[in-house]
Amino acid sequence: MIKNAMWILKQSSKTAVFLLYELGWYYFLNMNWKPALEIFKKIATFAFPKKFFNNQIIEAQKELNSYKVDFTLDPSKCHEDLTAPEEDKLCILPHVPQLAIKIAACYFRLGENDLGYKWLLSAPIIHKKYSNFKSKPEEDFAKLSQKYVTRKSKHMLVYEIFYFMRYMPKLPDQTLRLILEDVGNYKQSLGLTPTELKSYLQKGPKNEGLLVDYFSAVLIETVNNSLLGDTDITVNIYEEVKPYLGIVPEDYIYMIPHIEYWVGRSLVAEEKEKDARIVLKNALKRKKAEFNIANKIKKVMADVE
């Protein structure tokens, strides 16, 4: 249907950018990375001015210099044949840092890491210099991009995008289960057994990257199991990880209120209102983290008072 609409609108709209964006989302949510990428890149040429594309690699390299990482961008692997239209033909789009992070996610899934890093590094640059509507969500996604620059694995990036852009509840059950299977396998591959986590608790994390990815996986597991109605699984996962929430690195505590929110909802569904209030009160303590969810937490708390 959306393809037919695009064909019709070609005659009446110079770009049909917003409808094209929805088609890109369709492919992205179905994890069809190549067509999603091509559409998002086309939209980017109507969202950013020529000076952005002319300076993108140089500015990305400059941005990279502010991180403590053990890699550099290879300009020979970062070239894209993208050309912006004249200034008067640019579209005023909201959420442009989110567009950049989705392009990055597609490239990482396709194994083109240099291009992925280029667009990941571009997201905070876009937020500072080329954003049309500065907002807290844009700022949060720019910060998420910065965090993922230093995370060695990008496996969880797509799923965090799904969740923090609020699309996870809109996915069919079959897709939620496929994501759960992939995330579960990935979490297992990290090798963080209960014994290893206990050693982290006593001596501090030996590998912060593994710990961050572990809790990123826990976040998606709690969300998807809750959405599927498997609230007992959500609660059991939380009981396993609860002792270790305090060792999550400061830059990544944004995940914890969301984990606790979904656990709180699951406890309510399990008719354990007292336990739900305790978990939700803990979630409210982290007010300064990205992707603030305090209003939703308070709403659930009000329902169980």
Side-chain angles (χ1 to χ4, degrees):
M1 184 185 299
I2 197 165
K3 284 186 175 180
N4 289 338
M6 278 296 301
W7 182 84
I8 294 168
L9 284 174
K10 278 181 182 178
Q11 311 306 317
S12 58
S13 172
K14 61 185 178 184
T15 57
V17 169
F18 287 96
L19 188 55
L20 190 62
Y21 192 85
E22 292 301 316
L23 181 59
W25 254 121
Y26 170 79
Y27 285 125
F28 191 78
L29 292 171
N30 281 278
M31 293 176 266
N32 201 342
W33 310 120
K34 195 167 184 179
L37 174 63
E38 292 307 310
I39 288 171
F40 289 148
K41 287 199 301 181
K42 182 175 179 62
I43 293 168
T45 64
F46 288 97
F48 308 127
K50 286 183 178 180
K51 62 181 178 181
F52 166 76
F53 293 106
N54 291 342
N55 300 323
Q56 188 180 11
I57 295 176
I58 295 171
E59 291 198 347
Q61 287 176 318
K62 185 178 178 182
E63 176 77 13
L64 183 60
N65 291 338
S66 64
Y67 298 85
K68 293 181 179 179
V69 292
D70 58 359
F71 66 88
T72 57
L73 283 180
D74 183 347
S76 68
K77 296 180 180 178
C78 291
H79 176 73
E80 296 172 284
D81 190 17
L82 298 177
T83 305
E86 297 303 321
E87 295 291 325
D88 63 345
K89 293 183 179 178
L90 287 174
C91 293
I92 300 176
L93 293 176
H95 314 313
V96 282
Q98 288 93 312
L99 176 60
I101 197 173
K102 281 183 287 190
I103 292 173
C106 289
Y107 272 129
F108 284 122
R109 284 286 170 155
L110 291 168
E112 299 189 58
N113 291 343
D114 282 274
L115 286 164
Y117 276 114
K118 183 181 78 168
W119 280 96
L120 205 58
L121 291 160
S122 292
I125 296 167
I126 288 165
H127 178 63
K128 293 172 192 172
K129 295 185 176 182
Y130 304 103
S131 179
N132 297 307
F133 307 98
K134 290 192 184 297
S135 64
K136 188 62 169 65
E138 283 201 0
E139 180 183 341
D140 288 343
F141 275 101
K143 289 181 178 178
L144 183 66
S145 295
Q146 291 173 317
K147 295 177 196 299
Y148 263 98
V149 170
T150 59
R151 285 173 69 168
K152 289 199 172 181
S153 172
K154 307 300 184 284
H155 190 85
M156 296 303 300
L157 175 59
V158 162
Y159 301 137
E160 289 196 36
I161 291 171
F162 282 5
Y163 174 65
F164 288 116
M165 290 191 184
R166 303 179 183 179
Y167 268 84
M168 204 71 89
K170 301 175 184 179
L171 295 177
D173 288 358
Q174 182 182 3
T175 304
L176 293 175
R177 289 192 177 93
L178 286 172
I179 292 171
L180 269 178
E181 182 181 1
D182 182 58
V183 168
N185 290 336
Y186 178 68
K187 188 173 82 167
Q188 189 173 9
S189 75
L190 297 174
L192 286 183
T193 63
T195 302
E196 186 75 8
L197 283 168
K198 285 178 184 176
S199 73
Y200 278 29
L201 193 61
Q202 295 164 355
K203 303 175 184 178
K206 288 186 290 186
N207 188 323
E208 283 193 356
L210 288 182
L211 187 66
V212 170
D213 274 11
Y214 181 87
F215 275 96
S216 180
V218 167
L219 167 64
I220 301 306
E221 286 182 327
T222 56
V223 173
N224 285 20
N225 279 305
S226 297
L227 292 171
L228 289 166
D230 295 325
T231 52
D232 56 328
I233 298 176
T234 297
V235 173
N236 288 339
I237 291 170
Y238 181 69
E239 290 301 322
E240 290 175 5
V241 304
K242 183 168 63 172
Y244 315 112
L245 294 177
I247 59 173
V248 174
E250 184 72 18
D251 280 348
Y252 300 95
I253 61 169
Y254 68 91
M255 294 184 280
I256 297 177
H258 291 266
I259 291 170
E260 292 176 327
Y261 166 73
W262 287 97
V263 171
R265 283 183 52 161
S266 293
L267 286 165
V268 171
E270 297 277 308
E271 298 183 350
K272 297 176 180 178
E273 286 85 358
K274 183 178 178 181
D275 292 338
R277 282 194 290 270
I278 293 170
V279 172
L280 293 168
K281 282 181 181 178
N282 284 336
L284 280 175
K285 292 177 182 178
R286 300 174 178 89
K287 296 179 180 179
K288 294 183 179 180
E290 295 85 5
F291 305 107
N292 189 291
I293 199 174
N295 288 338
K296 284 190 172 183
I297 295 169
K298 289 175 183 176
K299 187 176 184 302
V300 177
M301 290 181 70
D303 290 341
V304 297
E305 288 298 336

